[in-house]
Amino acid sequence: MEERGAYRCVECSREAAELYRDYRHGVLRIAVCVSRAGAGLGQRGYSVCGGAFGYCFMALRCAWKSCQKPVDKYIEYDPVIILINAILCKAQAYRHILFNTKINFHGKLYIFCLLCEAYLRWLQLQDSSQSTDPDDLIRYAKEWDFYRMFGIASLEQTSFLVGIFIALWWRRPKMLKTKSDFILLLKALLLSSYGKLLLIPAVIWEHDYTPLCLVFIKVFVLISNSQAIRVTLNLNRVFPWLAIFFGLILENGVVCLVQKIGWDV
C-alpha cells in the first residue's frame, strides 16, 4: 500500500492511494477513482435521522467529485500502446508516465536529444564549407566543432526552459511552491522533448523535404511540451502555450547573442 496521494487518476488527475490491490494468488483488482471524502467514509457514508422504529439514510455528497473510472487503465496496456498514446499527446498517457511510473532516465534522454541536435548542426556546418583546400579536410576531424555545437544547443535549450519557468512562476506562483513541483515540471519537459530523437532519421534519410521535416519535428516537440505543462500543473490549453512563447523569445534572444559573438549556429 502506497501513501495517499502517491498516484494520480489518468482521467481526472485526482490523487489516489493505489493503482491496484493484490489479493494474492494472481488476483488483482484495479483501483477505481473515488473522492477522498467518499473513500474515508467507506460503507458508513451516510447520516441517520428518525425515531426509535425507523431510520432515514441520506448519502453525503462529496465536496471533491471524482470520475468513478479506473485510476490507471494503462497498467494493463502493452508499453507499445502507451508509447503510441503518448505520441498522440493524450493527456491520460502523460499522466500515467509522469505520475504512476518510476521513470528516472529523463536526464539521459535529454542529453541524448541534445547530442542529436548538436550532430545535426555539426553536419550543417560542414556542408556550408565549400572550400576544396586539403587543409580544410582536417576540419572534419576536429571534435571542437561538435562540442561547440553541443554547448550552443545546451545553452539555447536551457534558456528555453528558464523562460518557461519564469513565465509560469510569474503568472501562477502558487503552482511552483516547492522544490518537488519544480523537479516534476522539469522532468515532464525533459521527457516531452523525446521528439528530437527524430532528428537523426531525418538526417540519415536526407531528401529534398528535410528542412520541412525539421520544422514538423520542432512543432511536434513544442506540442508535447505544452501537453506536459498542462498535465503536470492541471492547466487549460492556452496558458502553457503562453509560457512556451515566452521561452521561445528568451531562446531566440540567446541565439542572437551567440550570433553577435561570432559563433556559427
Side-chain angles (χ1 to χ4, degrees), residues 151-205:
I152 294 174
S154 302
L155 182 61
E156 292 178 6
Q157 291 303 312
T158 300
S159 62
F160 174 71
L161 295 176
V162 169
I164 291 177
F165 276 100
I166 291 176
L168 292 173
W169 182 81
W170 177 44
R171 299 296 299 177
R172 303 288 177 87
K174 294 183 179 180
M175 293 185 175
L176 299 173
K177 294 183 296 184
T178 63
K179 181 180 178 181
S180 59
D181 295 333
F182 280 94
I183 294 177
L184 180 60
L185 181 57
L186 179 61
K187 176 182 177 180
L189 289 171
L190 296 184
L191 287 176
S192 62
S193 300
Y194 67 93
K196 292 184 179 181
L197 297 176
L198 299 174
L199 292 173
I200 295 299
V203 173
I204 294 177
W205 297 320

Side-chain angles (χ1 to χ4, degrees), residues 3-139:
E3 60 179 328
R4 185 173 298 277
Y7 302 106
R8 293 284 186 90
C9 174
V10 298
E11 301 293 341
C12 63
S13 193
R14 303 298 185 189
E15 293 182 354
E18 58 186 359
L19 299 179
Y20 61 89
R21 180 160 296 183
D22 189 356
Y23 292 97
R24 300 181 181 178
H25 306 293
V27 179
L28 300 176
R29 181 182 177 220
I30 298 179
V32 176
C33 179
V34 294
S35 63
R36 300 182 66 173
L41 290 172
Q43 297 297 328
R44 295 173 296 177
Y46 54 81
S47 62
V48 182
C49 65
F53 300 99
Y55 293 94
C56 174
F57 299 97
M58 296 184 301
L60 297 179
R61 298 184 61 183
C62 301
W64 188 353
K65 294 183 179 180
S66 60
C67 63
Q68 302 295 326
K69 296 180 180 179
V71 173
D72 193 346
K73 61 183 180 181
Y74 287 101
I75 60 177
E76 294 185 309
Y77 285 23
D78 189 87
V80 177
I81 303 298
I82 299 175
L83 178 60
I84 293 175
N85 280 262
I87 293 176
L88 295 176
C89 293
K90 290 190 175 181
Q92 295 88 341
Y94 274 66
R95 292 190 184 102
H96 167 77
I97 295 173
L98 294 175
F99 298 114
N100 300 338
T101 59
K102 297 180 180 179
I103 296 180
N104 296 318
F105 58 83
H106 49 280
K108 297 178 180 179
L109 174 64
Y110 196 69
I111 290 177
F112 188 72
C113 291
L114 289 176
L115 289 173
C116 293
E117 186 166 354
Y119 177 71
L120 174 64
R121 297 186 181 197
W122 182 77
L123 285 181
Q124 293 175 341
L125 183 65
Q126 306 308 318
D127 293 340
S128 63
S129 179
Q130 302 295 333
S131 176
T132 59
D133 192 336
D135 293 337
D136 289 343
L137 296 177
I138 302 177
R139 182 183 179 92

Side-chain angles (χ1 to χ4, degrees), residues 142-254:
K142 289 184 178 180
E143 296 183 3
W144 165 248
D145 289 331
F146 178 78
Y147 295 148
R148 184 157 53 91
M149 293 300 104
F150 179 79
I152 294 174
S154 302
L155 182 61
E156 292 178 6
Q157 291 303 312
T158 300
S159 62
F160 174 71
L161 295 176
V162 169
I164 291 177
F165 276 100
I166 291 176
L168 292 173
W169 182 81
W170 177 44
R171 299 296 299 177
R172 303 288 177 87
K174 294 183 179 180
M175 293 185 175
L176 299 173
K177 294 183 296 184
T178 63
K179 181 180 178 181
S180 59
D181 295 333
F182 280 94
I183 294 177
L184 180 60
L185 181 57
L186 179 61
K187 176 182 177 180
L189 289 171
L190 296 184
L191 287 176
S192 62
S193 300
Y194 67 93
K196 292 184 179 181
L197 297 176
L198 299 174
L199 292 173
I200 295 299
V203 173
I204 294 177
W205 297 320
E206 185 176 1
H207 49 74
D208 296 337
Y209 299 101
T210 297
L212 183 60
C213 291
L214 298 180
V215 173
F216 282 136
I217 292 174
K218 179 68 173 179
V219 172
F220 174 74
V221 172
L222 293 179
I223 293 175
S224 300
N225 293 153
S226 173
Q227 187 71 307
I229 298 173
R230 174 172 170 259
V231 168
T232 304
L233 301 180
N234 199 22
L235 299 172
N236 55 29
R237 296 179 182 272
V238 177
F239 190 76
W241 279 109
L242 296 178
I244 289 177
F245 179 72
F246 188 81
L248 290 175
I249 292 177
L250 191 59
E251 179 184 355
N252 290 329
V254 172

